[in-house]
Amino acid sequence: MKAEKFRELDTTELERQLQQVNDQLFHLRFQIRMGQTDGLKKYRGLRKDRARIETVLNERRKAESKKG
């Protein structure tokens, strides 16, 4: 998903998405190490999505700190 799509979501939804991505990464990492899947491409995509979500959340936090 592109960063623009993440920017359309509210903060609570982004945090929920981040938790889901982290859970998926955990399970996928476990499966890769056990040799059960060849999901390296999916793993890389999830890592990029996590970075995008964290970037959007950090932008919002910085914007809030400048206001207050």
Side-chain angles (χ1 to χ4, degrees):
M1 190 181 297
K2 299 289 182 179
E4 295 164 1
K5 296 284 185 182
F6 289 124
R7 284 190 177 93
E8 294 173 2
L9 302 175
D10 63 346
T11 304
T12 55
E13 180 66 24
L14 277 175
E15 290 170 349
R16 189 181 64 77
Q17 288 259 341
L18 182 62
Q19 184 61 39
Q20 287 179 348
V21 168
N22 284 333
D23 290 343
Q24 289 176 353
L25 281 170
F26 174 78
H27 293 295
L28 196 57
R29 216 172 18 244
F30 183 74
Q31 288 176 349
I32 289 171
R33 293 192 186 194
M34 296 298 291
Q36 295 177 354
T37 185
D38 297 326
L40 190 58
K41 192 172 191 177
K42 183 177 179 182
Y43 179 77
R44 289 178 179 160
L46 285 172
R47 284 181 49 207
K48 290 178 182 181
D49 282 347
R50 180 177 63 183
R52 288 182 185 113
I53 293 170
E54 288 177 348
T55 299
V56 172
L57 285 172
N58 285 333
E59 288 172 353
R60 290 184 183 177
R61 290 180 189 132
K62 285 182 181 181
E64 288 177 7
S65 67
K66 285 184 181 181
K67 287 181 185 178

Short mmCIF file of all heavy atoms in Angstrom, two decimals:
data_model
loop_
_atom_site.label_atom_id
_atom_site.label_comp_id
_atom_site.label_asym_id
_atom_site.label_seq_id
_atom_site.Cartn_x
_atom_site.Cartn_y
_atom_site.Cartn_z
N MET A 1 0.85 -1.17 0.00
CA MET A 1 0.00 0.00 0.00
C MET A 1 0.90 1.24 0.00
O MET A 1 1.94 1.27 0.64
CB MET A 1 -0.89 -0.01 1.25
CG MET A 1 -1.96 1.04 1.21
SD MET A 1 -3.03 1.08 2.68
CE MET A 1 -3.82 -0.48 2.65
N LYS A 2 0.48 2.25 -0.70
CA LYS A 2 1.26 3.48 -0.80
C LYS A 2 1.05 4.36 0.43
O LYS A 2 0.04 4.25 1.13
CB LYS A 2 0.86 4.27 -2.05
CG LYS A 2 1.09 3.54 -3.34
CD LYS A 2 2.57 3.44 -3.61
CE LYS A 2 2.82 2.75 -4.93
NZ LYS A 2 4.21 2.64 -5.25
N ALA A 3 2.00 5.24 0.68
CA ALA A 3 1.93 6.12 1.84
C ALA A 3 0.70 7.03 1.77
O ALA A 3 0.13 7.39 2.80
CB ALA A 3 3.20 6.95 1.94
N GLU A 4 0.28 7.39 0.57
CA GLU A 4 -0.90 8.25 0.42
C GLU A 4 -2.15 7.57 0.99
O GLU A 4 -3.00 8.22 1.58
CB GLU A 4 -1.10 8.60 -1.05
CG GLU A 4 0.03 9.44 -1.61
CD GLU A 4 0.05 9.47 -3.12
OE1 GLU A 4 -0.82 8.85 -3.74
OE2 GLU A 4 0.96 10.12 -3.66
N LYS A 5 -2.25 6.28 0.79
CA LYS A 5 -3.38 5.53 1.34
C LYS A 5 -3.34 5.52 2.86
O LYS A 5 -4.37 5.62 3.52
CB LYS A 5 -3.38 4.09 0.82
CG LYS A 5 -3.56 3.97 -0.66
CD LYS A 5 -4.99 4.20 -1.04
CE LYS A 5 -5.16 3.94 -2.52
NZ LYS A 5 -6.51 4.17 -2.97
N PHE A 6 -2.14 5.40 3.42
CA PHE A 6 -2.01 5.41 4.87
C PHE A 6 -2.34 6.78 5.44
O PHE A 6 -2.87 6.89 6.54
CB PHE A 6 -0.60 5.00 5.30
CG PHE A 6 -0.30 3.54 5.07
CD1 PHE A 6 0.79 3.15 4.32
CD2 PHE A 6 -1.10 2.55 5.62
CE1 PHE A 6 1.08 1.81 4.11
CE2 PHE A 6 -0.83 1.21 5.41
CZ PHE A 6 0.27 0.84 4.66
N ARG A 7 -2.03 7.83 4.71
CA ARG A 7 -2.32 9.19 5.19
C ARG A 7 -3.82 9.45 5.27
O ARG A 7 -4.26 10.30 6.03
CB ARG A 7 -1.65 10.21 4.28
CG ARG A 7 -0.17 10.31 4.52
CD ARG A 7 0.46 11.49 3.80
NE ARG A 7 1.87 11.56 4.13
CZ ARG A 7 2.85 11.01 3.41
NH1 ARG A 7 2.55 10.36 2.31
NH2 ARG A 7 4.10 11.12 3.79
N GLU A 8 -4.61 8.72 4.49
CA GLU A 8 -6.06 8.89 4.52
C GLU A 8 -6.69 8.29 5.77
O GLU A 8 -7.81 8.65 6.13
CB GLU A 8 -6.68 8.24 3.27
CG GLU A 8 -6.29 8.92 1.98
CD GLU A 8 -6.77 8.17 0.75
OE1 GLU A 8 -7.45 7.12 0.91
OE2 GLU A 8 -6.47 8.62 -0.36
N LEU A 9 -5.99 7.38 6.44
CA LEU A 9 -6.53 6.71 7.62
C LEU A 9 -6.30 7.56 8.86
O LEU A 9 -5.37 8.36 8.92
CB LEU A 9 -5.85 5.35 7.80
CG LEU A 9 -5.98 4.37 6.64
CD1 LEU A 9 -5.15 3.13 6.92
CD2 LEU A 9 -7.42 3.99 6.39
N ASP A 10 -7.16 7.36 9.87
CA ASP A 10 -6.95 8.09 11.12
C ASP A 10 -5.89 7.37 11.96
O ASP A 10 -5.47 6.27 11.65
CB ASP A 10 -8.26 8.27 11.89
CG ASP A 10 -8.86 6.96 12.34
OD1 ASP A 10 -8.43 5.90 11.85
OD2 ASP A 10 -9.77 6.99 13.19
N THR A 11 -5.46 8.02 13.02
CA THR A 11 -4.33 7.54 13.81
C THR A 11 -4.61 6.19 14.46
O THR A 11 -3.75 5.31 14.46
CB THR A 11 -3.96 8.58 14.89
OG1 THR A 11 -3.70 9.83 14.23
CG2 THR A 11 -2.72 8.16 15.65
N THR A 12 -5.81 6.00 14.99
CA THR A 12 -6.12 4.72 15.65
C THR A 12 -6.11 3.58 14.63
O THR A 12 -5.65 2.48 14.93
CB THR A 12 -7.48 4.77 16.36
OG1 THR A 12 -8.49 5.17 15.44
CG2 THR A 12 -7.44 5.74 17.52
N GLU A 13 -6.61 3.84 13.43
CA GLU A 13 -6.61 2.83 12.38
C GLU A 13 -5.16 2.50 11.96
O GLU A 13 -4.82 1.34 11.74
CB GLU A 13 -7.41 3.30 11.17
CG GLU A 13 -7.47 2.31 10.03
CD GLU A 13 -8.21 1.03 10.36
OE1 GLU A 13 -9.05 1.04 11.27
OE2 GLU A 13 -7.93 0.01 9.70
N LEU A 14 -4.32 3.51 11.90
CA LEU A 14 -2.91 3.29 11.55
C LEU A 14 -2.22 2.43 12.61
O LEU A 14 -1.45 1.53 12.28
CB LEU A 14 -2.18 4.62 11.40
CG LEU A 14 -2.31 5.31 10.06
CD1 LEU A 14 -1.61 6.66 10.11
CD2 LEU A 14 -1.73 4.48 8.95
N GLU A 15 -2.50 2.73 13.87
CA GLU A 15 -1.88 1.94 14.94
C GLU A 15 -2.36 0.50 14.90
O GLU A 15 -1.58 -0.43 15.16
CB GLU A 15 -2.17 2.59 16.29
CG GLU A 15 -1.43 3.89 16.48
CD GLU A 15 -1.86 4.67 17.70
OE1 GLU A 15 -2.90 4.31 18.30
OE2 GLU A 15 -1.16 5.64 18.04
N ARG A 16 -3.62 0.30 14.57
CA ARG A 16 -4.16 -1.06 14.44
C ARG A 16 -3.49 -1.78 13.27
O ARG A 16 -3.09 -2.94 13.38
CB ARG A 16 -5.67 -1.02 14.24
CG ARG A 16 -6.34 -2.39 14.32
CD ARG A 16 -7.83 -2.30 14.10
NE ARG A 16 -8.18 -1.85 12.78
CZ ARG A 16 -8.13 -2.62 11.67
NH1 ARG A 16 -7.73 -3.87 11.76
NH2 ARG A 16 -8.48 -2.15 10.50
N GLN A 17 -3.32 -1.08 12.15
CA GLN A 17 -2.66 -1.65 10.98
C GLN A 17 -1.20 -2.01 11.32
O GLN A 17 -0.71 -3.06 10.91
CB GLN A 17 -2.67 -0.65 9.83
CG GLN A 17 -4.01 -0.45 9.20
CD GLN A 17 -4.16 -1.21 7.90
OE1 GLN A 17 -3.18 -1.59 7.31
NE2 GLN A 17 -5.40 -1.40 7.49
N LEU A 18 -0.53 -1.14 12.06
CA LEU A 18 0.85 -1.39 12.44
C LEU A 18 0.95 -2.65 13.28
O LEU A 18 1.85 -3.48 13.08
CB LEU A 18 1.41 -0.19 13.21
CG LEU A 18 2.86 -0.28 13.64
CD1 LEU A 18 3.79 -0.39 12.44
CD2 LEU A 18 3.24 0.92 14.48
N GLN A 19 0.03 -2.83 14.21
CA GLN A 19 0.03 -4.04 15.04
C GLN A 19 -0.20 -5.29 14.18
O GLN A 19 0.46 -6.31 14.37
CB GLN A 19 -1.04 -3.94 16.13
CG GLN A 19 -1.05 -5.10 17.08
CD GLN A 19 0.25 -5.25 17.83
OE1 GLN A 19 0.86 -4.28 18.23
NE2 GLN A 19 0.70 -6.48 17.99
N GLN A 20 -1.10 -5.21 13.22
CA GLN A 20 -1.35 -6.35 12.34
C GLN A 20 -0.12 -6.69 11.51
O GLN A 20 0.22 -7.86 11.35
CB GLN A 20 -2.54 -6.06 11.42
CG GLN A 20 -3.87 -6.09 12.09
CD GLN A 20 -5.01 -5.77 11.14
OE1 GLN A 20 -4.79 -5.32 10.01
NE2 GLN A 20 -6.23 -6.00 11.58
N VAL A 21 0.54 -5.67 10.98
CA VAL A 21 1.74 -5.90 10.17
C VAL A 21 2.83 -6.53 11.03
O VAL A 21 3.51 -7.47 10.59
CB VAL A 21 2.22 -4.59 9.52
CG1 VAL A 21 3.61 -4.75 8.92
CG2 VAL A 21 1.24 -4.14 8.45
N ASN A 22 3.00 -6.04 12.25
CA ASN A 22 4.01 -6.62 13.14
C ASN A 22 3.70 -8.09 13.44
O ASN A 22 4.61 -8.92 13.47
CB ASN A 22 4.11 -5.82 14.43
CG ASN A 22 4.86 -4.52 14.25
OD1 ASN A 22 5.70 -4.40 13.36
ND2 ASN A 22 4.54 -3.54 15.07
N ASP A 23 2.44 -8.41 13.66
CA ASP A 23 2.05 -9.79 13.91
C ASP A 23 2.32 -10.67 12.68
O ASP A 23 2.84 -11.78 12.80
CB ASP A 23 0.57 -9.89 14.28
CG ASP A 23 0.27 -9.32 15.66
OD1 ASP A 23 1.23 -9.15 16.46
OD2 ASP A 23 -0.91 -9.04 15.93
N GLN A 24 1.98 -10.17 11.50
CA GLN A 24 2.22 -10.91 10.27
C GLN A 24 3.71 -11.15 10.05
O GLN A 24 4.12 -12.24 9.65
CB GLN A 24 1.63 -10.18 9.06
CG GLN A 24 0.13 -10.20 9.01
CD GLN A 24 -0.41 -9.38 7.86
OE1 GLN A 24 0.32 -8.69 7.16
NE2 GLN A 24 -1.72 -9.45 7.65
N LEU A 25 4.51 -10.12 10.32
CA LEU A 25 5.95 -10.26 10.17
C LEU A 25 6.51 -11.31 11.12
O LEU A 25 7.37 -12.11 10.75
CB LEU A 25 6.65 -8.92 10.41
CG LEU A 25 6.61 -7.93 9.26
CD1 LEU A 25 7.11 -6.57 9.72
CD2 LEU A 25 7.41 -8.42 8.09
N PHE A 26 6.01 -11.31 12.34
CA PHE A 26 6.46 -12.30 13.32
C PHE A 26 6.19 -13.72 12.83
O PHE A 26 7.07 -14.57 12.82
CB PHE A 26 5.79 -12.06 14.67
CG PHE A 26 6.09 -13.12 15.68
CD1 PHE A 26 7.31 -13.13 16.34
CD2 PHE A 26 5.17 -14.12 15.96
CE1 PHE A 26 7.61 -14.12 17.26
CE2 PHE A 26 5.46 -15.11 16.87
CZ PHE A 26 6.68 -15.12 17.53
N HIS A 27 4.96 -13.96 12.39
CA HIS A 27 4.59 -15.30 11.94
C HIS A 27 5.33 -15.69 10.66
O HIS A 27 5.77 -16.83 10.51
CB HIS A 27 3.08 -15.39 11.73
CG HIS A 27 2.31 -15.30 13.01
ND1 HIS A 27 2.38 -16.25 14.00
CD2 HIS A 27 1.46 -14.36 13.46
CE1 HIS A 27 1.60 -15.90 15.01
NE2 HIS A 27 1.04 -14.75 14.71
N LEU A 28 5.49 -14.75 9.77
CA LEU A 28 6.19 -15.03 8.52
C LEU A 28 7.66 -15.32 8.77
O LEU A 28 8.24 -16.23 8.18
CB LEU A 28 6.02 -13.85 7.56
CG LEU A 28 6.35 -14.10 6.10
CD1 LEU A 28 5.50 -15.24 5.55
CD2 LEU A 28 6.09 -12.85 5.28
N ARG A 29 8.27 -14.55 9.68
CA ARG A 29 9.67 -14.78 10.04
C ARG A 29 9.84 -16.18 10.64
O ARG A 29 10.80 -16.89 10.32
CB ARG A 29 10.10 -13.71 11.04
CG ARG A 29 11.49 -13.26 10.90
CD ARG A 29 11.89 -12.07 11.76
NE ARG A 29 11.06 -11.74 12.89
CZ ARG A 29 10.37 -10.61 13.03
NH1 ARG A 29 10.39 -9.69 12.08
NH2 ARG A 29 9.66 -10.38 14.11
N PHE A 30 8.91 -16.56 11.47
CA PHE A 30 8.95 -17.89 12.09
C PHE A 30 8.84 -18.97 11.02
O PHE A 30 9.58 -19.95 11.03
CB PHE A 30 7.82 -18.02 13.12
CG PHE A 30 7.82 -19.30 13.86
CD1 PHE A 30 8.77 -19.55 14.85
CD2 PHE A 30 6.88 -20.26 13.59
CE1 PHE A 30 8.77 -20.75 15.55
CE2 PHE A 30 6.86 -21.46 14.29
CZ PHE A 30 7.81 -21.71 15.25
N GLN A 31 7.92 -18.80 10.08
CA GLN A 31 7.73 -19.80 9.02
C GLN A 31 8.94 -19.89 8.11
O GLN A 31 9.33 -20.99 7.69
CB GLN A 31 6.50 -19.45 8.18
CG GLN A 31 5.20 -19.68 8.90
CD GLN A 31 3.99 -19.25 8.09
OE1 GLN A 31 4.14 -18.58 7.07
NE2 GLN A 31 2.81 -19.60 8.54
N ILE A 32 9.56 -18.75 7.81
CA ILE A 32 10.74 -18.76 6.95
C ILE A 32 11.87 -19.53 7.63
O ILE A 32 12.55 -20.35 7.00
CB ILE A 32 11.18 -17.32 6.61
CG1 ILE A 32 10.17 -16.69 5.65
CG2 ILE A 32 12.57 -17.29 6.01
CD1 ILE A 32 10.37 -15.20 5.41
N ARG A 33 12.06 -19.31 8.92
CA ARG A 33 13.14 -19.99 9.63
C ARG A 33 12.89 -21.48 9.79
O ARG A 33 13.83 -22.26 9.87
CB ARG A 33 13.36 -19.35 10.98
CG ARG A 33 13.89 -17.94 10.78
CD ARG A 33 14.39 -17.34 12.01
NE ARG A 33 14.73 -15.95 11.68
CZ ARG A 33 15.43 -15.17 12.43
NH1 ARG A 33 15.90 -15.62 13.55
NH2 ARG A 33 15.69 -13.94 12.06
N MET A 34 11.63 -21.86 9.82
CA MET A 34 11.30 -23.27 9.92
C MET A 34 11.30 -23.94 8.55
O MET A 34 11.12 -25.14 8.44
CB MET A 34 9.93 -23.47 10.58
CG MET A 34 9.87 -23.00 12.02
SD MET A 34 11.00 -23.88 13.09
CE MET A 34 10.25 -25.47 13.13
N GLY A 35 11.48 -23.16 7.49
CA GLY A 35 11.53 -23.70 6.15
C GLY A 35 10.17 -24.04 5.58
O GLY A 35 10.06 -24.80 4.63
N GLN A 36 9.11 -23.47 6.15
CA GLN A 36 7.76 -23.81 5.72
C GLN A 36 7.27 -22.96 4.54
O GLN A 36 6.31 -23.32 3.89
CB GLN A 36 6.79 -23.65 6.88
CG GLN A 36 7.04 -24.61 8.00
CD GLN A 36 6.12 -24.39 9.17
OE1 GLN A 36 5.35 -23.44 9.19
NE2 GLN A 36 6.19 -25.26 10.16
N THR A 37 7.90 -21.83 4.28
CA THR A 37 7.39 -20.96 3.23
C THR A 37 8.53 -20.26 2.52
O THR A 37 9.64 -20.15 3.04
CB THR A 37 6.41 -19.93 3.81
OG1 THR A 37 5.87 -19.18 2.74
CG2 THR A 37 7.08 -18.98 4.78
N ASP A 38 8.26 -19.81 1.34
CA ASP A 38 9.22 -19.03 0.57
C ASP A 38 8.71 -17.60 0.45
O ASP A 38 8.79 -16.99 -0.60
CB ASP A 38 9.42 -19.63 -0.82
CG ASP A 38 9.99 -21.03 -0.75
OD1 ASP A 38 10.78 -21.29 0.17
OD2 ASP A 38 9.65 -21.85 -1.62
N GLY A 39 8.19 -17.05 1.55
CA GLY A 39 7.53 -15.76 1.53
C GLY A 39 8.45 -14.57 1.68
O GLY A 39 8.06 -13.58 2.30
N LEU A 40 9.64 -14.64 1.12
CA LEU A 40 10.58 -13.54 1.27
C LEU A 40 10.07 -12.27 0.60
O LEU A 40 10.23 -11.17 1.14
CB LEU A 40 11.94 -13.93 0.69
CG LEU A 40 13.08 -12.98 0.99
CD1 LEU A 40 13.28 -12.81 2.49
CD2 LEU A 40 14.37 -13.49 0.36
N LYS A 41 9.41 -12.42 -0.53
CA LYS A 41 8.87 -11.25 -1.23
C LYS A 41 7.78 -10.58 -0.40
O LYS A 41 7.74 -9.35 -0.27
CB LYS A 41 8.32 -11.67 -2.59
CG LYS A 41 8.01 -10.56 -3.52
CD LYS A 41 7.66 -11.09 -4.89
CE LYS A 41 7.63 -9.98 -5.89
NZ LYS A 41 7.36 -10.48 -7.25
N LYS A 42 6.90 -11.38 0.19
CA LYS A 42 5.85 -10.84 1.05
C LYS A 42 6.45 -10.20 2.29
O LYS A 42 6.00 -9.15 2.75
CB LYS A 42 4.88 -11.95 1.44
CG LYS A 42 3.73 -11.47 2.27
CD LYS A 42 2.76 -12.59 2.58
CE LYS A 42 1.62 -12.06 3.42
NZ LYS A 42 0.69 -13.12 3.78
N TYR A 43 7.49 -10.82 2.84
CA TYR A 43 8.17 -10.30 4.02
C TYR A 43 8.75 -8.92 3.75
O TYR A 43 8.58 -7.99 4.54
CB TYR A 43 9.27 -11.29 4.43
CG TYR A 43 10.07 -10.86 5.64
CD1 TYR A 43 9.54 -11.00 6.91
CD2 TYR A 43 11.35 -10.34 5.50
CE1 TYR A 43 10.26 -10.62 8.02
CE2 TYR A 43 12.07 -9.96 6.60
CZ TYR A 43 11.54 -10.10 7.86
OH TYR A 43 12.26 -9.71 8.95
N ARG A 44 9.39 -8.76 2.62
CA ARG A 44 9.97 -7.46 2.26
C ARG A 44 8.89 -6.41 2.08
O ARG A 44 9.05 -5.26 2.48
CB ARG A 44 10.81 -7.58 1.00
CG ARG A 44 12.10 -8.33 1.23
CD ARG A 44 12.88 -8.47 -0.04
NE ARG A 44 14.13 -9.19 0.22
CZ ARG A 44 14.83 -9.79 -0.71
NH1 ARG A 44 14.44 -9.76 -1.98
NH2 ARG A 44 15.95 -10.41 -0.40
N GLY A 45 7.78 -6.80 1.45
CA GLY A 45 6.67 -5.86 1.27
C GLY A 45 6.08 -5.41 2.59
O GLY A 45 5.75 -4.22 2.76
N LEU A 46 5.94 -6.33 3.52
CA LEU A 46 5.41 -6.00 4.84
C LEU A 46 6.34 -5.06 5.60
O LEU A 46 5.89 -4.15 6.30
CB LEU A 46 5.15 -7.27 5.66
CG LEU A 46 3.92 -8.08 5.27
CD1 LEU A 46 3.91 -9.40 6.02
CD2 LEU A 46 2.66 -7.30 5.54
N ARG A 47 7.64 -5.29 5.47
CA ARG A 47 8.60 -4.39 6.12
C ARG A 47 8.48 -2.98 5.57
O ARG A 47 8.55 -2.00 6.32
CB ARG A 47 10.03 -4.91 5.93
CG ARG A 47 10.34 -6.08 6.82
CD ARG A 47 11.75 -6.58 6.67
NE ARG A 47 12.72 -5.50 6.74
CZ ARG A 47 13.91 -5.54 6.15
NH1 ARG A 47 14.26 -6.60 5.44
NH2 ARG A 47 14.76 -4.54 6.28
N LYS A 48 8.28 -2.86 4.27
CA LYS A 48 8.12 -1.53 3.67
C LYS A 48 6.83 -0.88 4.12
O LYS A 48 6.79 0.32 4.38
CB LYS A 48 8.19 -1.63 2.15
CG LYS A 48 9.57 -1.96 1.65
CD LYS A 48 9.61 -2.11 0.15
CE LYS A 48 11.01 -2.49 -0.29
NZ LYS A 48 11.11 -2.62 -1.75
N ASP A 49 5.76 -1.67 4.20
CA ASP A 49 4.49 -1.13 4.69
C ASP A 49 4.63 -0.64 6.13
O ASP A 49 4.11 0.41 6.49
CB ASP A 49 3.38 -2.18 4.61
CG ASP A 49 2.83 -2.34 3.20
OD1 ASP A 49 3.13 -1.48 2.34
OD2 ASP A 49 2.10 -3.32 2.97
N ARG A 50 5.34 -1.41 6.96
CA ARG A 50 5.55 -1.01 8.35
C ARG A 50 6.30 0.32 8.42
O ARG A 50 5.95 1.20 9.19
CB ARG A 50 6.29 -2.08 9.12
CG ARG A 50 6.52 -1.70 10.58
CD ARG A 50 7.20 -2.76 11.37
NE ARG A 50 8.53 -3.00 10.83
CZ ARG A 50 9.36 -3.93 11.29
NH1 ARG A 50 8.98 -4.71 12.27
NH2 ARG A 50 10.53 -4.10 10.75
N ALA A 51 7.31 0.46 7.58
CA ALA A 51 8.08 1.70 7.56
C ALA A 51 7.21 2.87 7.11
O ALA A 51 7.31 3.98 7.66
CB ALA A 51 9.28 1.56 6.63
N ARG A 52 6.34 2.64 6.14
CA ARG A 52 5.45 3.71 5.68
C ARG A 52 4.49 4.14 6.78
O ARG A 52 4.25 5.33 6.99
CB ARG A 52 4.67 3.25 4.45
CG ARG A 52 5.51 3.14 3.21
CD ARG A 52 4.67 2.72 2.01
NE ARG A 52 5.51 2.50 0.85
CZ ARG A 52 5.71 1.32 0.29
NH1 ARG A 52 5.09 0.25 0.75
NH2 ARG A 52 6.50 1.20 -0.76
N ILE A 53 3.92 3.16 7.48
CA ILE A 53 2.99 3.46 8.56
C ILE A 53 3.70 4.25 9.66
O ILE A 53 3.18 5.26 10.15
CB ILE A 53 2.37 2.17 9.14
CG1 ILE A 53 1.47 1.51 8.10
CG2 ILE A 53 1.59 2.46 10.41
CD1 ILE A 53 1.01 0.11 8.49
N GLU A 54 4.88 3.80 10.04
CA GLU A 54 5.62 4.49 11.09
C GLU A 54 5.99 5.91 10.67
O GLU A 54 5.97 6.83 11.49
CB GLU A 54 6.86 3.70 11.47
CG GLU A 54 6.53 2.44 12.24
CD GLU A 54 7.74 1.59 12.56
OE1 GLU A 54 8.83 1.84 12.01
OE2 GLU A 54 7.59 0.66 13.36
N THR A 55 6.29 6.10 9.40
CA THR A 55 6.62 7.44 8.90
C THR A 55 5.43 8.37 9.01
O THR A 55 5.55 9.50 9.49
CB THR A 55 7.09 7.36 7.43
OG1 THR A 55 8.26 6.55 7.37
CG2 THR A 55 7.38 8.74 6.88
N VAL A 56 4.26 7.89 8.61
CA VAL A 56 3.05 8.71 8.69
C VAL A 56 2.72 9.04 10.15
O VAL A 56 2.37 10.18 10.47
CB VAL A 56 1.86 8.01 7.99
CG1 VAL A 56 0.57 8.75 8.23
CG2 VAL A 56 2.13 7.88 6.49
N LEU A 57 2.84 8.04 11.03
CA LEU A 57 2.58 8.28 12.45
C LEU A 57 3.55 9.31 13.03
O LEU A 57 3.15 10.19 13.80
CB LEU A 57 2.65 6.98 13.24
CG LEU A 57 1.47 6.03 13.08
CD1 LEU A 57 1.76 4.69 13.75
CD2 LEU A 57 0.21 6.64 13.63
N ASN A 58 4.82 9.21 12.66
CA ASN A 58 5.81 10.18 13.15
C ASN A 58 5.53 11.57 12.62
O ASN A 58 5.70 12.55 13.35
CB ASN A 58 7.23 9.74 12.78
CG ASN A 58 7.72 8.61 13.64
OD1 ASN A 58 7.29 8.47 14.78
ND2 ASN A 58 8.62 7.81 13.11
N GLU A 59 5.09 11.69 11.38
CA GLU A 59 4.73 13.00 10.83
C GLU A 59 3.59 13.62 11.62
O GLU A 59 3.61 14.81 11.92
CB GLU A 59 4.31 12.86 9.37
CG GLU A 59 5.45 12.58 8.41
CD GLU A 59 4.96 12.27 7.01
OE1 GLU A 59 3.73 12.16 6.78
OE2 GLU A 59 5.82 12.14 6.11
N ARG A 60 2.62 12.80 11.98
CA ARG A 60 1.48 13.30 12.75
C ARG A 60 1.89 13.71 14.15
O ARG A 60 1.42 14.72 14.68
CB ARG A 60 0.37 12.26 12.80
CG ARG A 60 -0.28 12.07 11.46
CD ARG A 60 -1.43 11.13 11.53
NE ARG A 60 -1.98 10.93 10.20
CZ ARG A 60 -2.96 10.12 9.91
NH1 ARG A 60 -3.52 9.40 10.88
NH2 ARG A 60 -3.39 9.99 8.68
N ARG A 61 2.78 12.93 14.78
CA ARG A 61 3.25 13.29 16.11
C ARG A 61 4.02 14.60 16.10
O ARG A 61 3.87 15.42 17.01
CB ARG A 61 4.11 12.17 16.68
CG ARG A 61 3.31 10.93 17.03
CD ARG A 61 4.20 9.83 17.58
NE ARG A 61 3.43 8.61 17.71
CZ ARG A 61 3.83 7.43 17.28
NH1 ARG A 61 5.00 7.29 16.70
NH2 ARG A 61 3.06 6.36 17.44
N LYS A 62 4.84 14.80 15.09
CA LYS A 62 5.59 16.05 14.99
C LYS A 62 4.65 17.23 14.78
O LYS A 62 4.85 18.30 15.34
CB LYS A 62 6.60 15.98 13.85
CG LYS A 62 7.79 15.15 14.16
CD LYS A 62 8.78 15.16 13.02
CE LYS A 62 9.98 14.31 13.34
NZ LYS A 62 10.98 14.31 12.25
N ALA A 63 3.62 17.04 13.96
CA ALA A 63 2.66 18.10 13.71
C ALA A 63 1.90 18.45 14.99
O ALA A 63 1.64 19.63 15.26
CB ALA A 63 1.68 17.69 12.61
N GLU A 64 1.55 17.45 15.79
CA GLU A 64 0.85 17.68 17.04
C GLU A 64 1.75 18.40 18.05
O GLU A 64 1.29 19.27 18.79
CB GLU A 64 0.36 16.38 17.65
CG GLU A 64 -0.81 15.77 16.91
CD GLU A 64 -1.23 14.44 17.48
OE1 GLU A 64 -0.71 14.04 18.55
OE2 GLU A 64 -2.07 13.77 16.85
N SER A 65 3.03 18.05 18.09
CA SER A 65 3.93 18.69 19.05
C SER A 65 4.18 20.15 18.68
O SER A 65 4.40 20.97 19.56
CB SER A 65 5.25 17.93 19.14
OG SER A 65 5.96 18.04 17.93
N LYS A 66 4.13 20.48 17.42
CA LYS A 66 4.31 21.88 17.01
C LYS A 66 3.09 22.72 17.37
O LYS A 66 3.21 23.89 17.66
CB LYS A 66 4.56 21.96 15.50
CG LYS A 66 5.94 21.51 15.10
CD LYS A 66 6.17 21.69 13.63
CE LYS A 66 7.56 21.21 13.25
NZ LYS A 66 7.82 21.38 11.82
N LYS A 67 1.90 22.09 17.36
CA LYS A 67 0.67 22.80 17.71
C LYS A 67 0.65 23.13 19.21
O LYS A 67 0.24 24.18 19.62
CB LYS A 67 -0.56 21.97 17.37
CG LYS A 67 -0.86 21.88 15.91
CD LYS A 67 -2.10 21.05 15.69
CE LYS A 67 -2.39 20.83 14.23
NZ LYS A 67 -3.57 19.98 14.05
N GLY A 68 1.02 22.15 20.02
CA GLY A 68 0.86 22.26 21.47
C GLY A 68 2.06 22.76 22.13
O GLY A 68 2.21 23.47 23.02
#
